Amino acid sequence: MQLSERITAGLAKTRNKLQMLLKSSQGGNLQEQLEEVLLLADVGPKTTTEIIEKISAAGQLDMEMLRDQLVATLSRHQPPILKGPVILVGPNGSGKTTTVAKLGHLLSRQGKKVFVIGADTFRAAADSQLEKWCKRLELNHFIGSRGADPASVVYDGLQSTAARQADVVLCDTAGRLQSNVNLMRELEKIVRVARKCWDGNITVLMVLDGGTGQSALEQVKIYRQFVCPEGLIVTKLDGTAKGGVVVALAAELGMPVCYLGVGEGADDLVPFDPEIFVNSILKEG
Amino acid sequence: MLANLSEKLQKALGLFRNRGRLSEADVKKGLREVKLALLEADVNYLVVKDFISRLEQRCVGSDVLTSLTPGQQVIKIVRDELTDLLGGQWQSLSIAERGLSVYMMVGLQGSGKTTTTVKLAGYLAGQGKKPLVSSLDYQRPGAREQLAQFAQGAGIDCHNPEGEDVIAGAKQVTAAARAGYDCLVLDTAGRLHVDDELMDELDQVRQAVHPTEAILVLDSMTGQDAVNVAEVFAKRSLVDSIILTKLDSDTRGGAALSVRSITGCPVKFIGTGEKQDKLEKFHPDRMASQILGFGDVLTLVEKAEASFDRGQARELEQKLRRQQFTLEDFRQQLRQFDKLGSMEQVLSMLPGGAKLDGLDFDQRELARYDAIISSMTPGERTNPQIINGSRRKRIAAGSGTSLQQVNKLLKQFSAMQKMLRQLDGKALKKGKTPFPFKI
């Protein structure tokens, strides 16, 4: 009940927005306008063309159809349920450390026992950044010191009683660009070691800066080759970035989104809702 | 770097290259591909739209399509416009005329400000300056330690102000820097451009320290939003120049193409790695040729334009049509080709030319052919059939070559003439020529 109400409310809001949008665009080709909305949201030319073609083939080309198509694309794959070790990976500066803290906070508010492992042993002061967060949010943690081998930090962390007793173990890793093969191998090793020393499932989530453009496709493709992330956390969506590239990621790579980061505060992480997300993509400005 | 964009653009431009004639429709089709390539590379949609319409105007409007090499002309226009879009020449970092130069780094969270702060200080130190770095980032836990640790590793002095007040801290550290340094690189907290409160704070810092340059640090992987970010920072006069980071990923780099044209502020450096020395100057002109995949092919195009006389080329075309192509014309062609420079040079200017290293081309072959033809009488050149055994001997002796070489040339020439006879006018119109190279 609650869900359907929310969706109806969301729809009404979108309709208003769409009408506004359609009114504001004087003349011109509707298809071009729809394309423009998608392209400006970072959906990318390939997926944009596909989506527009799909809805124009299915019948009338309008905003409503576009909206439904986007929601359908984003709902196709279910995000994983977080249980046991969850390793967060991603490029530099995408917001992994902050996300670990926020996710830990969110899960512990849901009544889950959370344990945090800090395996970013490369970046200067990454350990103290995570430690400060954990202390502030009262999260149990084990943080490797700078220069240590990250795989061994994860191993030690997972061996601890605290990790064994936790419902979810969140692992922070150092940011790395997908083009650096050696660092990607290091990440592969971290995940391999974690899989070996933990009986049960290990989830890898990729943290993506919401402002990222089409580079995200290449990023996810290569990360998939090494550590096979099962879902995305898209951060920094409190600015003007739309994060539309996740539509391309869902359409081309079948990658689901789990959470959205919408601010720097501890509570600024929300579960992904395709409806709301699509509304924000189609929203002007 | 930017390989992806480069590859896609070259593919799009391939539609123009090797084309003898271009119709308006051809141009439109090709430019659509260019547009898609740019969009794939995250160049802002509005910038792309503008860019393409400018290209279209220049390509269709002028006498490009009726020129001898319309394809090359179009490519040249794309290069010009691209260089223009990226900002022309490299612009160096401004330095205060006297006293302390202050550089203030601003940008979103995670764009790489802290890392870049130390890299820039390292660059300044390399220029013989004495830089100090300092962090005004009270927001992110551990940010100040990060700067201090990174600076220490790079051998740069770091002085983080006491207290919790950003403005007071900025004043304090500027005063401290005056005492023994000539440059100060200030790191600030990452903030969203829509966070008015934090943006106001930056304004205040700017007014407190009067930076020589406020530098926007921008993640090159940013998509369409890059221009929004840059625009807001620029409106608040917080951008004098731009540094793009993380260009070592196979980033599409579209941000680089968009921000400069939206803000008018030059991109001065690019970050190409996590290590301290990975900061490079950004040369827009070189970047443009690099993106188009022909480091120097355009130099080659210019050279070709300079060395190939249009009138002569037209005359030659007529001769080819009337099948009056003689050894004399062949020699002229050889000479024009030679003017371009050595084959090695030409190859090195070609995209992927380096890969052709193993290609066995003897530069002396051209000179030899020239010598052989020059040793013939005018009669022999126009009518090679009269060249009998004794004439061959004479030509070989006169040109310092062997009988075999003279035979080889005559054989090749007769094969060429045969080919010419087989070609009808249509094929010639399409720009097909029997030469191993284009005319």
Side-chain angles (χ1 to χ4, degrees):
Chain A
M1 276 308 279
Q2 216 186 349
L3 186 71
S4 70
E5 272 167 27
R6 221 168 58 201
I7 292 172
T8 327
L11 269 171
K13 233 181 357 192
T14 323
R15 258 187 226 112
N16 294 339
K17 291 267 161 53
L18 296 184
Q19 276 156 7
M20 263 168 52
L21 186 61
L22 292 180
K23 261 183 215 155
S24 69
S25 47
Q26 289 137 10
N29 182 331
L30 178 64
Q31 182 175 336
E32 250 171 50
Q33 287 164 26
L34 297 181
E35 265 177 25
E36 185 170 325
V37 173
L38 293 182
L39 288 172
L40 279 173
D42 279 324
V43 175
K46 190 168 170 235
T47 306
T48 297
T49 315
E50 274 168 20
I51 286 178
I52 300 275
E53 269 169 12
K54 208 178 264 174
I55 55 177
S56 51
Q60 217 191 334
L61 184 72
D62 62 17
M63 271 289 184
E64 209 57 20
M65 293 277 292
L66 175 64
R67 210 194 68 88
D68 293 346
Q69 185 62 43
L70 289 174
V71 172
T73 309
L74 287 170
S75 320
R76 207 174 296 150
H77 301 272
Q78 285 305 310
I81 293 159
L82 302 188
K83 200 177 171 304
V86 178
I87 302 176
L88 272 73
V89 302
N92 313 62
S94 60
K96 283 173 301 304
T97 306
T98 311
T99 304
V100 165
K102 289 195 284 192
L103 187 57
H105 189 57
L106 181 74
L107 293 171
S108 68
R109 267 188 311 163
Q110 290 172 356
K112 289 188 178 132
K113 258 193 214 155
V114 178
F115 184 66
V116 174
I117 299 175
D120 181 352
T121 54
F122 177 77
R123 181 165 58 93
D127 45 354
S128 71
Q129 183 186 358
L130 187 60
E131 194 166 0
K132 280 177 187 168
W133 266 117
C134 288
K135 281 191 178 144
R136 198 187 290 172
L137 300 174
E138 295 173 351
L139 297 168
N140 283 329
H141 55 274
F142 171 75
I143 291 166
S145 53
R146 196 163 175 227
D149 174 42
S152 80
V153 172
V154 170
Y155 179 86
D156 288 345
L158 290 179
Q159 292 296 322
S160 68
T161 324
R164 303 251 162 223
Q165 287 170 347
D167 297 313
V168 181
V169 182
L170 298 173
C171 298
D172 185 24
T173 62
R176 61 203 77 217
L177 294 178
Q178 74 282 2
S179 51
N180 191 326
V181 178
N182 290 335
L183 289 184
M184 292 307 288
R185 291 225 177 93
E186 180 191 87
L187 193 62
E188 193 179 25
K189 180 182 162 192
I190 295 174
V191 176
R192 193 173 60 229
V193 166
R195 289 217 162 101
K196 261 193 188 159
C197 72
W198 186 270
D199 12 283
N201 200 26
I202 303 249
T203 314
V204 178
L205 292 183
M206 189 165 163
V207 181
L208 192 72
D209 186 330
T212 314
Q214 302 309 299
S215 309
L217 286 165
E218 200 59 28
Q219 271 171 18
V220 173
K221 267 185 213 160
I222 293 176
Y223 265 87
R224 186 174 263 187
Q225 282 169 22
F226 286 91
V227 291
C228 212
E230 290 172 57
L232 295 171
I233 299 180
V234 185
T235 60
K236 304 183 202 173
L237 287 173
D238 43 337
T240 44
K242 301 282 180 110
V245 72
V246 302
V247 177
L249 289 171
E252 281 189 39
L253 304 172
M255 189 59 111
V257 184
C258 310
Y259 294 96
L260 303 179
V262 290
E264 281 185 295
D267 296 325
D268 294 330
L269 188 78
V270 296
F272 177 70
D273 180 322
E275 303 267 347
I276 297 173
F277 184 75
V278 168
N279 286 353
S280 82
I281 285 189
L282 296 180
K283 193 170 67 184
E284 259 182 303
Chain B
M1 200 191 296
L2 299 183
N4 202 297
L5 170 62
S6 183
E7 188 189 312
K8 292 243 160 66
L9 256 189
Q10 284 177 54
K11 215 170 128 196
L13 292 177
L15 292 174
F16 296 121
R17 209 171 282 138
N18 307 334
R19 293 288 293 266
R21 291 276 186 280
L22 279 178
S23 70
E24 212 175 306
D26 290 335
V27 171
K28 286 223 164 102
K29 194 176 151 218
L31 287 183
R32 193 182 148 69
E33 293 297 317
V34 172
K35 181 177 166 183
L36 286 178
L38 292 173
L39 285 173
E40 285 266 345
D42 289 324
V43 183
N44 183 268
Y45 179 71
L46 303 172
V47 174
V48 173
K49 234 167 114 176
D50 189 47
F51 183 69
I52 294 293
S53 78
R54 261 205 320 279
L55 282 182
E56 210 171 282
Q57 258 172 15
R58 278 190 64 183
C59 292
V60 178
S62 62
D63 55 354
V64 170
L65 296 184
T66 52
S67 78
L68 206 56
T69 51
Q72 301 292 12
Q73 304 278 349
V74 170
I75 292 168
K76 208 172 159 221
I77 291 173
V78 173
R79 195 262 316 236
D80 292 350
E81 289 286 338
L82 197 60
T83 311
D84 207 40
L85 194 71
L86 286 169
Q89 298 283 319
W90 180 63
Q91 292 185 33
S92 58
L93 202 63
S94 321
I95 296 199
E97 274 175 35
R98 47 173 190 216
L100 185 70
S101 302
V102 180
Y103 304 99
M104 179 176 154
M105 316 298 272
V106 302
L108 303 183
Q109 294 96 337
S111 56
K113 283 176 302 304
T114 307
T115 309
T116 310
T117 299
V118 177
K119 285 183 187 173
L120 189 69
Y123 167 81
L124 287 164
Q127 302 286 304
K129 302 273 171 203
K130 196 163 178 227
L132 177 73
V133 297
S134 176
S135 172
L136 299 177
D137 188 349
Y138 296 88
Q139 294 277 323
R140 182 162 59 93
R144 285 148 37 99
E145 287 96 317
Q146 184 190 353
L147 183 73
Q149 284 181 17
F150 195 43
Q152 194 189 10
I156 304 280
D157 291 347
C158 176
H159 174 79
N160 286 332
E162 308 286 319
E164 290 289 304
D165 185 71
V166 176
I167 315 299
K171 284 182 182 156
Q172 186 196 327
V173 75
T174 318
R178 275 186 218 288
Y181 300 90
D182 49 16
C183 302
L184 170 66
V185 188
L186 271 180
D187 186 20
T188 63
R191 61 203 75 212
L192 279 173
H193 51 298
V194 290
D195 188 334
D196 283 333
E197 204 180 307
L198 283 178
M199 291 299 284
D200 286 344
E201 182 192 278
L202 272 189
D203 275 342
Q204 288 165 15
V205 172
R206 181 173 57 86
Q207 282 157 19
V209 302
H210 298 291
T212 318
E213 272 194 30
I215 302 174
L216 176 68
V217 180
L218 200 65
D219 183 339
S220 64
M221 295 186 288
T222 317
Q224 300 289 323
D225 199 40
V227 298
N228 298 332
V229 174
E231 222 175 353
V232 174
F233 274 95
K235 265 196 194 130
R236 286 179 175 255
S237 321
L238 287 167
V239 191
D240 294 310
S241 65
I242 297 166
I243 295 182
L244 287 171
T245 59
K246 304 182 203 172
L247 264 134
D248 46 330
S249 69
D250 59 342
T251 170
R252 315 289 166 120
L257 279 70
S258 314
V259 287
R260 138 82 220 195
S261 85
I262 292 278
T263 61
C265 302
V267 177
K268 292 192 173 170
F269 294 95
I270 51 178
T272 54
E274 287 183 90
K275 298 273 156 59
Q276 189 260 327
D277 57 342
K278 296 287 183 189
L279 188 75
E280 292 175 18
K281 291 175 188 169
F282 178 78
H283 292 277
D285 41 354
R286 289 187 209 166
M287 186 64 109
S289 350
Q290 202 190 343
I291 288 174
L292 293 178
F294 24 30
D296 275 309
V297 156
L298 289 149
T299 323
L300 189 63
V301 171
E302 273 163 15
K303 269 181 154 177
E305 271 169 0
S307 56
F308 284 22
D309 184 274
R310 255 173 99 145
Q312 269 185 13
R314 201 154 278 155
E315 204 179 299
L316 179 72
E317 198 187 331
Q318 293 300 319
K319 280 188 173 166
L320 286 174
R321 276 212 191 124
R322 280 183 261 126
Q323 297 179 8
Q324 290 171 341
F325 184 69
T326 64
L327 277 166
E328 181 68 51
D329 302 315
F330 186 47
R331 185 174 65 161
Q332 233 171 54
Q333 287 306 308
L334 291 177
R335 284 184 177 172
Q336 283 191 350
F337 192 60
D338 203 37
K339 265 197 247 168
L340 282 179
S342 79
M343 200 61 184
E344 267 163 39
Q345 275 172 359
V346 172
L347 278 181
S348 75
M349 286 190 264
L350 290 172
K355 286 182 217 140
L356 295 172
D357 240 339
L359 194 76
D360 202 17
F361 182 85
D362 191 354
Q363 188 68 30
R364 286 169 303 178
E365 195 85 349
L366 284 180
R368 217 172 279 138
Y369 277 10
D370 193 331
I372 294 173
I373 299 174
S374 301
S375 296
M376 296 174 182
T377 64
E380 285 166 346
R381 284 179 212 162
T382 41
N383 197 4
Q385 284 89 336
I386 61 168
I387 304 177
N388 57 20
S390 79
R391 282 181 195 253
R392 276 168 216 239
K393 261 188 211 151
R394 192 204 80 236
I395 293 167
S399 59
T401 56
S402 66
L403 209 54
Q404 285 87 346
Q405 280 163 333
V406 176
N407 283 340
K408 194 176 152 202
L409 170 79
L410 288 171
K411 212 167 165 185
Q412 277 187 0
F413 182 70
S414 98
M416 221 156 82
Q417 274 192 320
K418 210 162 155 192
M419 243 163 73
L420 280 173
R421 274 195 292 275
Q422 280 163 358
L423 288 173
D424 54 10
K426 262 186 212 159
L428 276 176
K429 258 186 204 152
K430 275 188 194 153
K432 281 187 193 161
T433 69
F435 298 113
F437 45 85
K438 266 186 279 233
I439 48 168

